[in-house]
């Protein structure tokens, strides 16, 4: 418990001291819709809308002291002993103390989730639609939490996983669309190079980078299971659960107003 609190304090202090931020990536194939803020927000795909909206609300509420950040970080003991089940999700919806870094992280939640969800997720049973993306996110959350526990403090990972999940999604998108055009600060590259470019920038700037590695490693596990195993070993074992297909349907889900 003490080691977790120390890790969180160190992470928050680092975020406040950092003079540099990760650059914005421009990615081909995703266009924004005009109109006011409400129209723009409602135009987002459903998973991206929920994740981005939840991250914005949780981050603002914690920073305005509506609740302590220690009430939303991952803590298995609090879930088991006090039934604080919201801690399963809230560590993936907190961008950190107000700073330019937290703004960039919230932008990355929006940008990278939207480009993957709009571009067509891996088809694991729902035609590459919303149900497949929800299933991928569920597996990502499970992988990140299990691996965090297994690592057991061997690497400096704070119990907040928003950045980790962002790079989980980014890595899978880069494997799904490896030849898509992308650039950082005007440097052109292919999509498959983008996660590693971000990682290199963080290392060179002295920013924390273990969250990126954690997310990318879990993303590689998903990619290997959904793409490599069926092609190389002829085994196709990742299938979107029927209850998700029943709820979201085949293809992109559009809520009924």
């Amino acid at each position: 418990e003490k080691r977790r609190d120390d890790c969180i304090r160190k992470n928050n202090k680092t975020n406040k001291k950092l003079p540099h931020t990760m650059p914005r990536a421009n990615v081909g194939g995703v266009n924004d819709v005009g109109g006011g803020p409400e129209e723009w927000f409602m135009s987002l795909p459903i998973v991206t809308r929920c994740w981005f909206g939840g991250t914005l609300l949780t981050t603002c509420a914690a920073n305005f002291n509506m609740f302590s950040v220690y009430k939303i970080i991952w803590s298995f003991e609090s879930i088991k002993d006090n039934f604080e089940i919201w801690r399963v999700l809230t560590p993936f919806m907190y961008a950190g103390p107000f700073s330019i870094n937290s703004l960039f992280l919230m932008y990355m939640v929006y940008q990278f989730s939207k480009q993957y969800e709009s571009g067509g997720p891996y088809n694991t049973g729902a035609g590459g639609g919303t149900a497949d993306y929800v299933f991928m996110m569920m597996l990502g959350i499970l992988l990140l939490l299990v691996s965090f526990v297994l690592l057991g403090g061997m690497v400096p990972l704070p119990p907040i996983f928003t950045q980790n999940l962002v790079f989980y999604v980014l890595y899978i998108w880069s494997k799904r669309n490896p030849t898509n055009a992308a650039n950082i600060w005007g440097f052109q590259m292919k999509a498959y190079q983008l996660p590693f470019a971000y990682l290199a920038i963080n290392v060179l700037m002295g920013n924390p980078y273990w969250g990126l590695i954690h997310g990318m490693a879990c993303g590689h596990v998903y990619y290997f299971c959904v793409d490599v195993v069926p092609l190389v070993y002829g085994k196709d074992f990742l299938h979107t659960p029927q209850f998700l297909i029943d709820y979201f349907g085949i293809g992109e889900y559009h809520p009924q107003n």
Side-chain angles (χ1 to χ4, degrees):
E1 194 77 25
K2 183 177 183 297
R3 180 171 56 191
R4 187 185 73 233
D5 292 349
D6 290 343
C7 194
I8 263 292
R9 290 192 190 97
K10 181 179 179 183
N11 186 65
N12 287 345
K13 288 178 181 177
T14 305
N15 281 342
K16 291 176 181 176
K17 290 179 181 178
L18 285 177
H20 304 292
T21 61
M22 287 194 295
R24 169 179 171 174
N26 294 320
V27 213
V30 179
N31 296 315
D32 290 333
V33 180
E38 182 179 358
E39 183 181 349
W40 166 80
F41 182 74
M42 295 307 296
S43 73
L44 297 177
I46 185 65
V47 180
T48 300
R49 190 194 314 166
C50 291
W51 187 18
F52 176 73
T55 301
L56 181 62
L57 288 174
T58 304
T59 302
C60 289
N63 277 278
F64 287 122
N65 296 318
M66 295 178 67
F67 47 74
S68 169
V69 68
Y70 295 101
K71 281 291 186 181
I72 59 173
I73 63 175
W74 169 253
S75 170
F76 180 73
E77 293 78 11
S78 297
I79 296 172
K80 180 185 66 172
D81 298 336
N82 303 324
F83 202 59
E84 297 178 357
I85 56 175
W86 61 84
R87 290 180 185 266
V88 175
L89 294 179
T90 51
F92 301 92
M93 296 189 296
Y94 175 63
F98 280 149
S99 67
I100 192 67
N101 284 348
S102 61
L103 290 176
F104 267 92
L105 182 54
M106 283 190 281
Y107 170 80
M108 292 165 76
V109 168
Y110 151 75
Q111 173 70 17
F112 295 145
S113 179
K114 180 187 175 186
Q115 72 189 14
Y116 182 73
E117 189 174 2
S118 301
Y122 277 106
N123 181 7
T124 52
T130 303
D132 293 327
Y133 186 36
V134 173
F135 179 51
M136 187 200 90
M137 293 291 275
M138 291 168 64
L139 289 176
I141 289 172
L142 180 63
L143 284 168
L144 289 165
L145 292 177
V146 170
S147 56
F148 175 78
V149 172
L150 293 177
L151 287 170
M154 289 187 288
V155 295
L157 284 172
I160 296 172
F161 310 116
T162 308
Q163 185 184 56
N164 313 41
L165 189 59
V166 165
F167 276 84
Y168 167 82
V169 173
L170 174 60
Y171 184 90
I172 294 170
W173 171 82
S174 74
K175 290 295 188 180
R176 176 73 167 151
N177 307 278
T179 59
N180 276 27
N183 76 77
I184 298 178
W185 285 335
F187 290 98
Q188 299 293 327
M189 65 188 71
K190 298 296 184 182
Y192 74 90
Q193 299 170 317
L194 190 60
F196 300 98
Y198 270 116
L199 178 60
I201 289 170
N202 272 265
V203 172
L204 292 174
M205 286 184 168
N207 288 352
Y209 55 84
W210 279 107
L212 282 69
I213 295 175
H214 187 207
M216 291 164 62
C218 291
H220 187 76
V221 171
Y222 177 85
Y223 158 73
F224 185 82
C225 292
V226 80
D227 200 357
V228 177
V229 170
L231 290 175
V232 177
Y233 301 101
K235 305 289 185 181
D236 186 10
F237 62 91
L238 275 187
H239 301 287
T240 301
Q242 188 60 43
F243 75 89
L244 291 177
I245 297 175
D246 290 342
Y247 185 83
F248 292 106
I250 301 295
E252 185 177 354
Y253 173 73
H254 297 282
Q256 297 296 321
N257 294 327

